[in-house]
Structures are given as structure tokens and as C-alpha cells.
Amino acid sequence: MTTWQEFIKDFSEMSIFLAYNINVDAIKVLRSEDIQKLIDEFGADKIKKRLDEYPREINEPLDFVARLVHALKTGKPNAVPLMNPELNSWFDSKFKYETERIGGQVGIIANLLANLNFKRVIAYSPVLSKKQATMFVHRKNLLYPIIEDGKLSLKMPLEAYREDDPLKINRIFEFRKGTVFKLGSETIEVPFSGRFIVSSRPESVRIEIKEHLKPFLPEIGEMVDGAILSGYQGIKEHYSDGKTADYYFEKAKEDIRLLKKNKDVKVHVEFASIQNKKIRKKVVKEIFPLADSVGMDEAEIAHVLNVLGYPELSDRIFNYNRIHDVVLGGKIILDEANLEILQIHTIYYLMYITRRENPLSEEELRSSLELATTLAATRAFLGDIRNPGDIKVGTKIPYNEQGEFVKLRFEEAKRRLRSKEYKIVLIPTRLVKNPVNTVGLGDTISAGAFTSYLALLREKGLY
Ligand code: AMP
């Protein structure tokens, strides 16, 4: 087993490129009174009716309350885009946020990897306002690419921000297991800790690499050991200037090809909850096949299978979360998208699915997942990972109580499904009972898993 200390040593020689999404996360922890006040204001009947309609966008406050109640009832984390910018002031007058911190997968992963002492983290987002720049950790290994005198130059974000760039704020409502509230005559107890995200989608923020930087992507690809791409969920179907999702997906595909032009740098795509089915389908059908590695959680695997044309399997995973179905679904995604590796994180376990020919042994793959869950547990316990030494905390968090049961079910599933052509490994998660925060844990797992996977390939001289 490769230990976390050995991985940290490897990381100090590795560089990673990240694109496309950073934002500010405004976090509000919901107490029972906050929820009850909202329900009383809007009325249980109206909320239930809207809940049945299951709005996929927030256009008015009732959409928000209904989807929030749904998240609280199921305890499932979810994100819904805010389409009507006029509601910004409604949210800000209604809620007082406890903290503001860097968000977006690029923001979260950049700070994590920089604090883990990677050689270089090149973090790109098409917008970089001053507020966002100040929220990055101020370390020399965290850099933002700009073009100066026709050449690529890597600067610390505080030397690279643009005063007039727009700001994207996501509002995150954290909820705690065991919180009780009443919806009409029904008493609801929140079954799991988690969060509900209202993500802002300013029209001016486009998911893209700006044209002037594009010609330098092959050079960036050569400089790094891997790229983690995320944020496709922010692409809209139409824009007021006539551009469409197709336009941005063509650009996004071109970005991956350019990164890989001079060197076959491995690309990880981090999937996120995408409410719009057309956009979701484009990510799965057009972006996944260009990636080497993909990461997602259990709700997302169901969503992906749905757009791939497996609605029954998707429903089963959504409703019952059986390991057997997840293994089956994972194999389908690996094959359909022709991935090298698929990583799935759930509350009770982490899983890798690769092909039998993958050069890493099962034990090596498990040690990569082990690093991933240890990082997540550290973040859940401390709220943040400020330096590699913090990881000791994560190693002391026990595996969850379902761990042994999960392993048994997994062995059973492997026997029942013919999986000779695959290498599939699973480890139980180290689960913090009262997490300081749950935001960014999935991103932490995926970043830790992908980079440690690359480290293992490098150690063997295979990459
Ligand atoms: P996501 O839904 O993509 O944000 O991923 C959340 C993941 O974080 C889960 O699948 C778990 O593996 C992990 N996680 C969630 N809660 C905790 C916790 N309290 N302690 C440690 N890991 C957690």
C-alpha cells in the first residue's frame, strides 16, 4: 500500500491544470426554525403542490422552497440553478450567511492541491474578479495563466485578476441529520447531513477558455501531469447574443484536444449534478469520450445512465442504491464512453472501475481510493486542509459502520456479474459523524483519487 506520506512526496513533483469554474460560496447552516419559518410563510399546501411539479430551475421563491424541502426530506445533496437574477436580493434579505469561501470545483481543488504542496497548480477560470482572487490560498505554487507580450505567463491570482470581471455567487444551504420540521400535518426528520445549492448563472459568465489563451493550451498540456476539467453544468442552452450550448461544447472539445496535442496528458472530467437533461446528455455523449477519467457520485451515476438510455437501471440506482446496480452501471459508462477509469463516490464507499489491462494492481488502486477518503474525512473534520500534516486527522477517522456489509455486498456483486474483463475495487469511506462542512467533499475525493492514480502510474514509469 502506498502511504499518504509517499503520495505527498510524489505530489511535490507533479503539476495539474484546472478549468473552468470558480465562484464564491455563501454558506448558510439551516436550523429547524429557519426551515419552519419558510414553510409557514409559503404554506404547506402550496409547497407540496410545487414539489410535485419538481421545478428544475429557480424562477421564484416558491421553486426554491419546494426543492429545498425535497432535499431535506431525502437528505440528498442537490444543486438547482437560479435563473432569475432579480431573486438575488430576495435571498440576501432573507438569509444571513455564516461564511463566504471560495467555491466552484476549480476554486476548491486549486486550494486543496496547492496546500498539499503540488509543484504547480495552474487554475483557470474565464472570469477572475478581485474577490475571487483573494479567496485563493496565497502560495507560489498556485498560478493563473495570462498572456503577456504574446507569451504565456503564470501569475499569482492577486497579480492577475481583472477589476471589472463579474462575480458568481452560489448560495449553499447546509442541513444536518436529525433536524425536525413540520410540513402541514407531516413531521419530517432530515435523514442525512448534506447541502442544497442555489447556483447563480450570470449571463456574462461563459464556460470557455478565452480565445487569446487557446493557442497556448498545447504548451500548458506539456507543462502538467494531468488536467481536471469541470463546470460544464454552467453551460446554458441559449445566450442572449445568439450563442448556444452546441457552440460551447464544440469549444470545450477543442480545449481537450489542444491540451493533448503535444503530449497525451491525462484528463479527468468531474461530473456534477446537471438539472438540464439536454446539457447533461451533451456532457456524457460529447465530453466523456475525450476524457481518460471521470468522477461522480451515486445520484450522478443514475443521471448519466438515464441519458445513455438505461432508464430502469437508473431508477433502480436512484431509489435503492444497490452496489450490484452501481457496478453494472459503472461498467456500462466505462464502456460507452471508452474511459480508462471511472471513480464513483457514495456516502458509504468509493469505487474504481477500470479494464482488466489497467497497469495498476487492485491494491494500488485501493491505496489511491484510501488517500481520497482520508482527504475527504480530513476536510469534513477540519473544514479545510491547510497542509499535508492535516491528513493525520483523516487517518484517525474510522470507516463507516456499514463498511463490512458494503464489502460483502460488493464481493457478491462481483461474483454474480461477470466482471472478468474489468478491475473493480471498493473501499468503505471514513465518515465524520458531525462534519464541519460537506461542501467540496466530492471534489476533494475526485481530486485526491485522480492525482494519486497519476502518481502511481508515474512511479511505475508508465506515465
Ligand atoms: P458529492 O455528493 O459529490 O459532494 O460527494 C460527497 C461525498 O463526500 C460522499 O459521497 C462521501 O464519500 C463524502 N462524504 C460525505 N459526508 C462525509 C462525512 N461526513 N465525512 C467524510 N466523508 C463524507
Side-chain angles (χ1 to χ4, degrees):
M1 280 296 257
T2 308
T3 61
W4 67 266
Q5 289 93 339
E6 288 166 320
F7 278 127
I8 293 295
K9 216 162 135 237
D10 295 334
F11 291 164
S12 68
E13 293 167 5
M14 289 169 59
S15 299
I16 302 288
F17 174 66
L18 311 169
Y20 299 80
N21 54 335
I22 57 166
N23 53 258
V24 173
D25 281 348
I27 301 169
K28 163 87 194 147
V29 179
L30 286 173
R31 291 159 308 162
S32 186
E33 312 85 87
D34 301 318
I35 303 166
Q36 205 60 59
K37 227 166 98 190
L38 277 174
I39 293 179
D40 295 345
E41 182 180 338
F42 285 86
D45 291 340
K46 270 193 178 165
I47 296 170
K48 281 191 202 160
K49 188 159 172 273
R50 188 60 57 93
L51 221 140
D52 288 340
E53 293 160 14
Y54 199 70
R56 289 179 182 275
E57 292 175 356
I58 295 172
N59 286 303
E60 55 169 325
L62 187 57
D63 295 332
F64 158 72
V65 180
R67 286 298 303 264
L68 174 68
V69 168
H70 181 266
L72 294 168
K73 256 180 122 161
T74 56
K76 285 193 179 165
N78 225 325
V80 183
L82 173 63
M83 289 315 201
N84 180 355
E86 283 164 23
L87 290 188
N88 280 322
S89 52
W90 180 82
F91 277 102
D92 294 340
S93 65
K94 207 83 202 152
F95 302 103
K96 212 173 157 324
Y97 306 104
E98 271 99 21
T99 35
E100 280 189 335
R101 52 192 288 171
I102 198 161
Q105 285 134 324
V106 169
I108 290 167
I109 297 172
N111 279 2
L112 169 75
L113 300 186
N115 284 341
L116 291 179
N117 295 344
F118 271 71
K119 185 171 156 200
R120 237 183 209 170
V121 181
I122 306 175
Y124 178 77
S125 158
V127 288
L128 185 67
S129 64
K130 183 173 181 183
K131 184 158 183 164
Q132 281 164 337
T134 58
M135 287 177 155
F136 278 113
V137 293
H138 308 303
R139 284 178 166 246
K140 294 215 168 67
N141 60 349
L142 201 169
L143 299 161
Y144 184 89
I146 60 164
I147 305 305
E148 245 176 5
D149 304 328
K151 282 206 196 90
L152 177 67
S153 168
L154 301 175
K155 296 263 175 183
M156 287 177 74
L158 276 177
E159 296 168 354
Y161 70 84
R162 291 163 297 252
E163 208 70 65
D164 299 332
D165 271 9
L167 185 66
K168 184 168 150 46
I169 296 191
N170 284 348
R171 296 176 177 85
I172 301 186
F173 297 89
E174 291 252 346
F175 48 82
R176 297 280 175 262
K177 180 179 170 172
T179 305
V180 176
F181 62 94
K182 284 194 95 160
L183 182 65
S185 55
E186 199 182 339
T187 301
I188 296 172
E189 181 172 340
V190 177
F192 300 105
S193 295
R195 77 272 178 247
F196 178 73
I197 303 177
V198 178
S199 47
S200 79
R201 295 267 190 274
E203 161 82 24
S204 56
V205 177
R206 308 289 168 96
I207 297 297
E208 63 179 341
I209 294 198
K210 296 267 193 225
E211 283 307 317
H212 64 279
L213 188 63
K214 276 233 182 208
F216 298 92
L217 280 177
E219 197 179 320
I220 292 179
E222 279 181 280
M223 289 169 133
V224 295
D225 297 281
I228 302 178
L229 303 178
S230 56
Y232 302 101
Q233 67 275 16
I235 299 180
K236 294 186 187 189
E237 277 187 70
H238 301 283
Y239 292 87
S240 56
D241 57 8
K243 294 211 170 88
T244 60
D246 280 339
Y247 171 86
Y248 286 103
F249 276 99
E250 278 314 309
K251 295 259 164 205
K253 284 175 1 195
E254 193 179 85
D255 294 346
I256 301 180
R257 290 192 196 105
L258 287 169
L259 278 170
K260 284 176 171 277
K261 189 170 169 202
N262 292 349
K263 165 178 152 189
D264 190 16
V265 63
K266 296 226 191 269
V267 170
H268 173 90
V269 166
E270 186 56 17
F271 194 65
S273 152
I274 306 181
Q275 300 290 327
N276 181 315
K277 278 194 187 161
K278 284 189 196 148
I279 302 289
R280 193 192 293 161
K281 192 163 184 172
K282 283 186 198 299
V283 177
V284 174
K285 295 262 191 191
E286 299 187 32
I287 303 293
F288 279 14
L290 296 179
D292 302 282
S293 162
V294 169
M296 61 182 75
D297 71 17
E298 72 256 60
E300 291 154 4
I301 190 173
H303 283 145
V304 170
L305 288 165
N306 201 339
V307 299
L308 282 175
Y310 298 86
E312 283 161 23
L313 181 58
S314 164
D315 283 350
R316 282 212 306 273
I317 293 177
F318 209 79
N319 294 322
Y320 307 113
N321 260 319
R322 280 195 297 251
I323 292 183
H324 176 272
D325 291 328
V326 173
V327 171
L328 189 62
K331 292 198 302 191
I332 292 172
I333 296 172
L334 189 86
D335 287 343
E336 295 240 351
N338 194 23
L339 298 172
E340 176 173 319
I341 189 159
L342 174 68
Q343 174 261 116
I344 296 164
H345 45 272
T346 76
I347 194 83
Y348 297 120
Y349 62 87
L350 310 186
M351 189 190 286
Y352 267 143
I353 306 187
T354 73
R355 293 213 172 71
R356 176 56 48 198
E357 320 71 90
N358 190 290
L360 298 190
S361 67
E362 290 195 359
E363 176 165 314
E364 284 166 326
L365 290 168
R366 269 194 296 272
S367 70
S368 163
L369 293 179
E370 179 56 40
L371 180 82
T373 191
T374 307
L375 289 177
T378 306
R379 182 175 165 105
F381 192 87
L382 297 176
D384 221 339
I385 300 179
R386 295 207 164 76
N387 58 65
D390 283 350
I391 301 176
K392 267 189 239 119
V393 171
T395 61
K396 302 217 168 72
I397 306 288
Y399 296 104
N400 71 77
E401 286 150 10
Q402 305 285 322
E404 288 308 310
F405 173 77
V406 160
K407 280 203 260 182
L408 277 175
R409 290 282 96 84
F410 173 64
E411 289 307 324
E412 234 171 67
K414 272 209 306 193
R415 273 197 303 275
R416 270 174 55 204
L417 296 164
R418 264 182 274 150
S419 20
K420 270 216 194 90
E421 292 125 63
Y422 303 85
K423 218 175 256 177
I424 311 175
V425 299
L426 168 147
I427 62 151
T429 50
R430 296 177 182 274
L431 214 53
V432 175
K433 288 248 163 64
N434 294 303
V436 175
N437 85 67
T438 64
V439 180
L441 294 180
D443 302 333
T444 300
I445 290 172
S446 291
F450 177 61
T451 54
S452 56
Y453 174 73
L454 295 181
L456 290 165
L457 289 179
R458 284 177 90 245
E459 256 173 42
K460 289 199 148 177
L462 294 163
Y463 180 57

